[in-house]
């Protein structure tokens, strides 16, 4: 396919994006994309490769996703939703902030340090300047959503007298950052090429909880 004809396919598909509403077909495409990205990496993967792996035509692929970047973000959002569901459920049901935040923190660190999540963050950061809407959407549906859910939990703990926090939104972001200390940034820069061990995750998250509770734990009345 020439560049001109491919541009025409993209334009037609973009004008008919509403047609790409079949959830089974979308899942089929994402499954194929997952195979290709895992096998070849983001840079080496092409939309032709993905169409072949998903057993769909290239024109169908463009009906659902306008380019490789948007497809990759959709895939990581699907993976992220599947992984974080259990963590958020535990957070909502547990009234012990040390245990609840500890469980959530460990799940969070595992999720954002897995190979696919690290690759996703690198890709989104790399394209965010020329595709700001994609970067903003990735942030709003990921880190910002997570912080809001933690803040809601913290609001409940404050109301129950278990925590003493004036700005729960700030505290939520602080907690997320504490849990990632020494673990996530080296992964993003490829200074560390393997995910942290379970022992290291427990140690770092445990220290994050200790610092968080030292600042925000409700003071016991004598």
């Amino acid at each position: 396919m020439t560049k001109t004809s491919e541009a025409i396919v993209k334009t037609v598909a973009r004008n008919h994006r509403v047609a790409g509403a079949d959830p089974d077909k979308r899942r089929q495409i994402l499954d194929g994309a997952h195979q290709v990205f895992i096998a070849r990496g983001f840079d080496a993967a092409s939309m032709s490769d993905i169409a072949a792996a998903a057993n769909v035509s290239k024109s169908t692929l463009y009906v659902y996703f306008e380019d490789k970047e948007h497809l990759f973000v959709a895939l990581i959002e699907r993976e992220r939703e599947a992984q974080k569901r259990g963590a958020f459920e535990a957070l909502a049901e547990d009234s012990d902030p040390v245990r609840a935040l500890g469980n959530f923190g460990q799940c969070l660190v595992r999720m954002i340090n897995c190979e696919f999540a690290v690759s996703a963050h690198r890709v989104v950061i790399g394209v965010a300047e020329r595709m700001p809407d994609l970067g903003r959407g990735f942030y709003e549906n990921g880190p910002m959503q997570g912080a809001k859910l933690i803040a809601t939990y913290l609001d409940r703990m404050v109301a129950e007298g278990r925590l003493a926090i004036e700005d729960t939104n700030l505290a939520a972001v602080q907690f997320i950052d504490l849990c990632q200390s020494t673990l996530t940034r080296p992964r993003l820069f490829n200074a560390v090429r393997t995910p942290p061990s379970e022992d290291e995750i427990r140690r770092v998250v445990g220290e994050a909880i200790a610092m968080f509770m030292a600042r925000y734990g409700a003071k016991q009345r004598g």
Side-chain angles (χ1 to χ4, degrees):
M1 181 179 290
T2 66
K3 290 184 177 180
T4 300
S5 60
E6 185 167 348
I8 293 173
V9 169
K10 287 184 178 182
T11 300
V12 172
R14 190 176 298 114
N15 290 337
H16 294 83
R17 190 79 59 198
V18 68
D22 183 344
D24 291 333
K25 184 66 68 176
R26 177 182 172 87
R27 187 182 309 112
Q28 178 182 339
I29 292 171
L30 290 175
D31 288 344
H34 188 269
Q35 295 176 22
V36 174
F37 285 132
I38 290 296
R40 304 191 181 187
F42 177 81
D43 290 334
S46 70
M47 293 294 267
S48 295
D49 296 331
I50 294 168
N55 196 28
V56 299
S57 68
K58 200 168 181 181
S59 59
T60 297
L61 183 59
Y62 279 121
V63 168
Y64 284 80
F65 301 99
E66 63 185 271
D67 51 39
K68 185 171 68 170
E69 287 85 357
H70 283 83
L71 175 52
F72 190 75
V73 169
L75 181 58
I76 191 57
E77 288 179 352
R78 185 182 74 167
E79 298 295 310
R80 183 167 54 195
E81 286 298 321
Q83 293 180 42
K84 75 183 182 183
R85 192 174 300 117
F88 288 146
E89 289 174 356
L91 189 68
E93 295 172 0
D94 200 329
S95 292
D96 180 344
V98 172
R99 183 173 57 235
L101 291 173
N103 289 337
F104 177 86
Q106 290 181 39
C107 290
L108 172 72
V109 173
R110 291 189 199 101
M111 180 176 67
I112 63 180
N113 282 280
C114 73
E115 293 294 341
F116 200 74
V118 170
S119 295
H121 279 82
R122 290 173 182 157
V123 169
V124 173
I125 290 171
V127 303
E129 185 170 352
R130 65 182 175 86
M131 304 177 72
D133 289 343
L134 187 147
R136 182 170 55 253
F138 183 85
Y139 174 75
E140 290 175 350
N141 292 322
M144 192 170 80
Q145 183 186 72
K148 286 182 177 180
L149 288 169
I150 295 175
T152 299
Y153 176 80
L154 297 180
D155 285 334
R156 180 159 66 89
M157 293 299 97
V158 170
E160 293 179 6
R162 297 175 184 273
L163 296 174
I165 306 174
E166 292 185 6
D167 188 340
T168 54
N169 292 308
L170 174 61
V173 175
Q174 289 173 332
F175 175 72
I176 291 173
D177 288 346
L178 284 171
C179 288
Q180 299 178 64
S181 298
T182 74
L183 300 178
T184 302
R185 187 170 295 177
R187 292 278 288 141
L188 289 176
F189 287 97
N190 213 23
V192 175
R193 299 194 176 189
T194 57
S197 67
E198 286 298 307
D199 286 343
E200 187 67 3
I201 291 173
R202 282 192 292 268
R203 186 183 73 83
V204 172
V205 173
E207 291 298 321
I209 293 290
M211 291 185 66
F212 190 83
M213 295 304 294
R215 172 63 180 87
Y216 293 122
K219 303 298 185 290
Q220 297 295 323
R221 295 179 180 177

